[in-house]
Amino acid sequence: MENKDITTGNFNRILAMVTLNNFAISFVFIFVPIYLLKLGYSFPMVMVWMIIHYSVIAIASFLAIRISNNIGLVGLLFIRFALVFSYFILLLFCLKSTPNLFYIIPIIGGIETAFYFMPLNILMIRNTSSRNMGVSMSKLSAFPKILTIMSPLIGALIVTYFGFPTLFGFAMFLFLIAMIPVFSLHSEKTDFKFTIKRIKETYQNNKQYFLPEIIDNLAEDAMILWSVFIYLTLMSELQVGIIGTITAIASMFFVLTIGKLTDKWNKHTLIKIGAMFVTLVWIINFMIAQFIPNQWLFYVATIAITLSLKVFLVPYSSILFNKARKDDAEFIVLREIPTALGRLFLFLLAILFYNNLPILFLLVGLLFVYFWFLDTRKLE
């Protein structure tokens, strides 16, 4: 359902929050798995951490919507900051001395993530229009890159010269600043009713998204494994930071162009073109990782897969969020189930093939052939 009270101010506040939040995340996101590896945890155990984290997101999404009925979507974002603070404090100062926290901290991280993305997605749907969704999605993807271009490299330098506590402490401060733009945000009241009947109706109306969402998330989250693989190959936080910065630069301006094309061209054609590029590039990345692992080729490969994913994701997400208008929170929450299944599948395979991670890049590329033949018109 289209919100009749859409204002540019509301969307700009959301955009500012996302930009500042992504600025904070860009300093630490790719370094959490590396931090765990440096603490002495094995690669399979790091994947267990990821499995717990992403499994909890699906469950916590229902909890987030329940709580938002009482305190609103912005109130949920404030709770999320408290969870972020707890997450990093426990990760930095308690995990080493209390190993059992290894299974608790990712639970907090999963709840925190749900308490951010649930209100964000709903607020975005309420404050954008269907006719310019492509441009809106591209702005939400590209504008945060302006601040985050150098963040992974700066984060790597902070880790190298000052350590992880300084890096994570700086990120917590930035997360707090990110809350400022949403203080006066409108369209934040909710009254969602989840019943078995309503859930069944929402699933029946949107079951065509189930498999696409599983496969879509395989390609996105394979980027996490790509970063970890590069670290394990080069054993350098600095190189991971450089690659993160290259990714930001490569995608910033490109995404805005794709967003405009999405609103003017045929979204379904762009999705197929993007899917073909994703398949081709992941297969090439597999060959680089398996046979010729090289610092400079990693740079080129990262740029290629980033651009390919954007060609696919901007039009695909545009269709997805326009569809979500009809069911609002119910669609967004139920979407987390196939999303979580895709991530679980990927990280379980990573444990199984941890001695030969490049195989996963090949598998992701081949699975994306599914989108070559999918009639995406049925998703609208």
Side-chain angles (χ1 to χ4, degrees):
M1 183 179 295
E2 197 85 58
N3 179 15
K4 296 181 179 180
D5 300 318
I6 293 172
T7 66
T8 302
N10 273 6
F11 178 76
N12 287 340
R13 291 184 186 96
I14 296 168
L15 183 59
M17 180 192 72
V18 173
T19 299
L20 292 169
N21 184 80
N22 285 12
F23 185 44
I25 288 176
S26 64
F27 278 99
V28 295
F29 179 71
I30 60 176
F31 293 110
V32 170
I34 293 172
Y35 176 68
L36 294 172
L37 290 169
K38 291 183 77 70
L39 285 182
Y41 290 100
S42 65
F43 176 82
M45 286 301 293
V46 174
M47 291 300 101
V48 169
W49 176 288
M50 304 299 284
I51 288 170
I52 296 172
H53 176 91
Y54 286 111
S55 298
V56 169
I57 293 174
I59 301 170
S61 295
F62 287 90
L63 177 63
I65 297 305
R66 289 284 189 183
I67 294 176
S68 74
N69 286 341
N70 297 318
I71 65 174
L73 296 169
V74 174
L76 209 58
L77 291 170
F78 287 122
I79 293 179
R80 181 258 180 164
F81 173 75
L83 291 169
V84 168
F85 186 83
S86 302
Y87 177 84
F88 282 114
I89 290 295
L90 292 174
L91 185 65
L92 276 173
F93 302 112
C94 303
L95 178 58
K96 191 181 295 186
S97 60
T98 312
N100 287 339
L101 286 175
F102 181 87
Y103 301 98
I104 296 174
I105 298 174
I107 293 176
I108 296 173
I111 297 172
E112 170 267 315
T113 303
F115 279 34
Y116 173 69
F117 281 105
M118 282 299 105
L120 170 63
N121 289 335
I122 295 167
L123 287 168
M124 192 196 71
I125 291 169
R126 290 180 175 184
N127 291 282
T128 54
S129 63
S130 57
R131 65 180 179 277
N132 64 357
M133 180 58 81
V135 170
S136 298
M137 290 299 302
S138 64
K139 285 181 178 179
L140 283 168
S141 179
F143 280 23
K145 299 294 183 186
I146 296 172
L147 277 183
T148 63
I149 283 176
M150 298 302 295
S151 300
L153 178 57
I154 295 172
L157 291 171
I158 291 174
V159 168
T160 302
Y161 292 104
F162 301 101
F164 282 100
T166 302
L167 176 67
F168 292 159
F170 182 54
M172 282 190 286
F173 171 74
L174 293 176
F175 280 123
L176 178 61
I177 299 299
M179 293 301 305
I180 295 175
V182 298
F183 276 111
S184 59
L185 195 64
H186 302 297
S187 300
E188 63 98 5
K189 294 295 182 182
T190 63
D191 185 26
F192 300 123
K193 305 296 183 184
F194 274 101
T195 63
I196 299 298
K197 180 182 179 181
R198 181 60 179 151
I199 291 173
K200 286 182 178 179
E201 288 177 355
T202 304
Y203 170 74
Q204 288 298 325
N205 292 335
N206 300 284
K207 60 184 178 183
Q208 69 272 24
Y209 273 100
F210 199 86
L211 187 55
E213 276 297 282
I214 291 176
I215 298 175
D216 158 47
N217 280 276
L218 289 176
E220 291 184 72
D221 292 307
M223 291 297 291
I224 299 173
L225 298 180
W226 178 251
S227 297
V228 173
F229 175 79
I230 291 172
Y231 171 75
L232 293 173
T233 302
L234 303 178
M235 293 307 293
S236 169
E237 294 95 339
L238 185 59
Q239 293 299 327
V240 174
I242 291 172
I243 286 172
T245 293
I246 289 173
T247 299
I249 294 173
S251 63
M252 183 175 64
F253 297 108
F254 183 74
V255 169
L256 289 173
T257 302
I258 292 298
K260 292 178 180 178
L261 290 178
T262 295
D263 289 332
K264 294 179 179 179
W265 288 10
N266 188 303
K267 294 181 178 66
H268 309 288
T269 300
L270 281 174
I271 288 173
K272 291 190 184 301
I273 292 172
M276 290 177 183
F277 275 117
V278 170
T279 294
L280 177 63
V281 174
W282 270 127
I283 292 173
I284 292 173
N285 286 8
F286 156 72
M287 292 188 288
I288 291 172
Q290 183 74 19
F291 304 112
I292 43 175
N294 173 278
Q295 170 186 336
W296 298 105
L297 288 177
F298 284 154
Y299 293 163
V300 175
T302 301
I303 292 173
I305 192 56
T306 300
L307 298 185
S308 299
L309 280 170
K310 296 305 180 185
V311 175
F312 171 81
L313 285 173
V314 172
Y316 176 77
S317 299
S318 178
I319 292 174
L320 180 78
F321 282 101
N322 277 329
K323 176 69 173 178
R325 295 179 192 283
K326 298 178 181 178
D327 296 300
D328 208 11
E330 289 92 340
F331 178 89
I332 295 297
V333 172
L334 291 179
R335 174 194 172 216
E336 288 301 320
I337 296 174
T339 296
L341 288 175
R343 289 163 170 166
L344 290 178
F345 179 65
L346 180 68
F347 295 129
L348 285 171
L349 285 178
I351 294 174
L352 186 62
F353 294 104
Y354 76 95
N355 284 324
N356 193 8
L357 279 182
I359 290 292
L360 292 183
F361 307 140
L362 175 62
L363 176 63
V364 169
L366 294 176
L367 285 174
F368 235 69
V369 172
Y370 168 80
F371 285 104
W372 296 17
F373 305 101
L374 177 67
D375 185 359
T376 51
R377 291 171 298 180
K378 295 180 179 179
L379 298 179
E380 291 190 300

